[in-house]
Amino acid sequence: MQSTVDPRNVSLPLEKTPLETYVPPAKPSLIGLSREQLAERLGDIGVPARQRKMRVQQLWHWIYFRGAEDFDAMTSVSKETRAQLAAHFTVARPEVVAEQVSSDGTRKWLLRLPSGEKLERPHEVECVYIPETDRGTLCVSSQVGCTLNCAFCHTGTQRLVRNLTAGEIVGQVMVARDRLNDWADRETPAGNRLVTNVVMMGMGEPLYNFDAVRDALLIVSDNEGIGISRRRITLSTSGVVPNIIRAGEEIGVMLAISLHAVRDELRNELVPLNRKYPIEQLLQACRDYPGASNARRITFEYVMLKGVNDSLDDAKLLVKLLKGIPAKINLIPFNPWPGTAYECSDWDQIEKFSEYIFNAGYSSPVRTPRGRDILAACGQLKSETEKLSARERQALRAMAMTD
Ligand code: SAH
Ligand code: SF4
């Protein structure tokens, strides 16, 4: 066995460890429940059936519109009901264990979540807020770690994996609004919100946690609550083909595809899920994506890796492949992380690539890396407690090679 392995030459396993179990806290949080589920919980604690609809409406407003952090704040709910609710439930969000602010204004929160009882380490995810002049985008995680192993992604090297619950996904948006003082009744007037867009581009593969992501995004986009329109929510997937159409039908948000390579041979290495769902199948799912149109284009993400996928031939093939799909292409300069063998393409190569695509009629913005100084940029997210040592990484690759 060689002591140094170039990840480009190694086929990594499609998926690694099984999902960890989740042990819910003693008093569950109401965050993440649909209206129907809220009504059921109220029934469980003895709220009479005739009152439930009204109570649900009140709770919904306090939790998702005003951002109430406890039941005491819900002054339109009777004192008795508030006490009853507080005895059984909370409106707790994930616990914020660290906040980092980048020199460019990007903020990253490290959130702690309940884990299985026997695990030594707590579960943690990261959530990033990126302010821009015309919008504020929150990058939300869907899993602790990721079961997939994209060769250039930091999150992919994390061992511990579990699906987030719908509440933990909605909770990230709520934490951001809490920390930025961005609720309707606080300093920022409604209509001038700081968090205007949500991208499911944090840790994890959202389409491998379909139900929770769907339930969460339906809450995030609900008009009477958090109210971020579906057109301002983007779900990014590495290509879980069977769930792409479902996402269009059941969630109706904007779609982004992590393409990164235009030939199956290379994509098999960079995005190992390609071995299960190759490029042609993936693009067919995009052609069939409900609601895709020139006004609602699918974003194709393409990470620029020096000498790997950044030639003009690649750009040409990319344009050819996307023919007939309402698409825009988002070029992402590779964000390096400790231990990676990849390098970001040279700037003039990125420009040439972008120019070719632009001349072929595609909008091809280059995503400006944000928050690099706090490891908050794309693909750099990874919980501090979860770093694999170089030895462990090597063992993982060795395992993959003997598969
Ligand atoms: N799992 C989903 C969403 C999270 S990743 C997916 O893969 O689409 C969000 C985007 O960042 C993806 O396009 C991913 O491929 C990209 N990415 C991952 N690592 C990166 C890195 N080191 N530099 C730049 N982009 C990266
Ligand atoms: Fe998972 Fe996305 Fe990273 Fe691939 S790029 S390992 S799918 S988070």
Side-chain angles (χ1 to χ4, degrees):
M1 180 68 51
Q2 286 177 316
S3 59
T4 51
V5 182
D6 180 344
R8 280 170 287 185
N9 301 329
V10 174
S11 44
L12 292 162
L14 273 189
E15 297 185 31
K16 42 192 181 204
T17 47
L19 295 178
E20 296 283 334
T21 47
Y22 163 74
V23 178
K27 265 205 256 176
S29 171
L30 294 180
I31 287 173
L33 300 183
S34 64
R35 288 184 176 81
E36 295 70 33
Q37 289 167 330
L38 262 180
E40 275 171 33
R41 293 294 98 76
L42 293 180
D44 294 344
I45 62 164
V47 175
R50 66 191 143 74
Q51 278 187 20
R52 278 177 223 157
K53 201 169 167 203
M54 184 252 302
R55 294 283 179 231
V56 165
Q57 218 168 353
Q58 289 175 325
L59 279 171
W60 197 268
H61 181 79
W62 281 108
I63 297 174
Y64 296 124
F65 190 75
R66 316 269 299 246
E69 290 179 56
D70 55 46
F71 295 108
D72 273 348
M74 304 183 183
T75 46
S76 61
V77 179
S78 74
K79 259 200 166 149
E80 196 192 15
T81 312
R82 275 190 264 158
Q84 219 178 344
L85 285 165
H88 295 91
F89 305 114
T90 68
V91 281
R93 300 83 156 106
E95 181 193 350
V96 180
V97 287
E99 176 177 67
Q100 281 175 285
V101 184
S102 158
S103 52
D104 68 13
T106 300
R107 278 164 199 261
K108 179 169 89 168
W109 296 287
L110 178 66
L111 307 174
R112 186 166 292 161
L113 311 165
S115 59
E117 276 166 320
K118 294 199 189 80
L119 295 170
E120 301 148 37
R121 297 163 173 177
H123 285 166
E124 289 171 346
V125 286
E126 289 172 333
C127 173
V128 179
Y129 174 70
I130 307 146
E132 287 173 88
T133 41
D134 61 339
R135 68 181 69 185
T137 304
L138 190 69
C139 181
V140 169
S141 295
S142 57
Q143 298 182 311
V144 176
C146 184
T147 55
L148 299 171
N149 252 324
C150 300
F152 52 85
C153 174
H154 204 195
T155 307
T157 62
Q158 188 164 324
R159 269 179 309 189
L160 202 59
V161 181
R162 90 157 158 81
N163 280 332
L164 299 193
T165 63
E168 290 165 343
I169 298 169
V170 178
Q172 293 172 61
V173 182
M174 301 184 68
V175 161
R177 285 224 162 134
D178 291 343
R179 305 294 294 190
L180 298 167
N181 215 357
D182 192 32
W183 289 104
D185 62 341
R186 301 197 189 161
E187 281 164 25
T188 324
N192 189 19
R193 287 288 171 72
L194 296 175
V195 179
T196 60
N197 291 52
V198 166
V199 292
M200 295 301 301
M201 293 187 186
M203 296 161 70
E205 170 46 59
L207 294 187
Y208 268 163
N209 184 13
F210 189 88
D211 289 1
V213 166
R214 175 198 54 211
D215 295 351
L217 293 183
L218 292 181
I219 293 175
V220 170
S221 60
D222 189 287
N223 268 338
E224 289 167 28
I226 296 172
I228 297 175
S229 119
R230 288 185 171 117
R231 302 195 54 150
R232 290 179 170 270
I233 301 176
T234 303
L235 185 153
S236 172
T237 178
S238 57
V240 185
V241 164
N243 283 344
I244 289 180
I245 302 293
R246 279 189 75 197
E249 286 169 349
E250 297 178 37
I251 321 177
V253 291
M254 306 297 282
L255 180 67
I257 301 285
S258 294
L259 191 62
H260 307 318
V262 286
R263 292 178 190 85
D264 280 322
E265 205 191 356
L266 178 60
R267 194 162 190 273
N268 286 346
E269 274 177 40
L270 296 180
V271 184
L273 188 64
N274 194 68
R275 287 185 245 149
K276 205 165 173 180
Y277 306 115
I279 293 174
E280 194 35 56
Q281 274 187 38
L282 178 57
L283 295 181
Q284 192 54 46
C286 294
R287 288 187 199 102
D288 297 339
Y289 189 69
S293 67
N294 279 339
R296 294 177 65 118
R297 288 170 195 269
I298 296 174
T299 302
F300 288 85
E301 297 163 279
Y302 197 96
V303 63
M304 299 299 290
L305 302 169
K306 186 175 185 167
V308 177
N309 65 353
D310 62 351
S311 72
L312 272 188
D313 277 350
D314 290 307
K316 283 179 193 161
L317 194 48
L318 178 59
V319 166
K320 222 165 138 186
L321 279 181
L322 298 187
K323 213 165 172 216
I325 302 176
K328 52 187 174 191
I329 298 159
N330 204 333
L331 301 179
I332 316 175
F334 171 65
N335 289 308
W337 37 271
T340 181
Y342 292 108
E343 284 176 71
C344 183
S345 307
D346 293 331
W347 196 250
D348 63 319
Q349 190 58 27
I350 298 182
E351 275 185 344
K352 274 187 207 145
F353 199 100
S354 163
E355 207 174 274
Y356 182 86
I357 293 168
F358 181 78
N359 289 335
Y362 290 96
S363 136
S364 57
V366 179
R367 192 182 290 174
T368 326
R370 298 290 303 263
R372 267 186 176 177
D373 55 342
I374 55 168
L375 279 185
C378 293
Q380 292 184 313
L381 301 187
K382 175 159 176 176
S383 330
E384 271 303 310
T385 49
E386 282 298 324
K387 294 208 168 123
L388 289 186
S389 68
R391 244 174 86 194
E392 287 171 312
R393 262 201 312 274
Q394 202 184 330
L396 189 73
R397 287 194 185 116
M399 240 165 58
M401 290 176 84
T402 54
D403 258 2

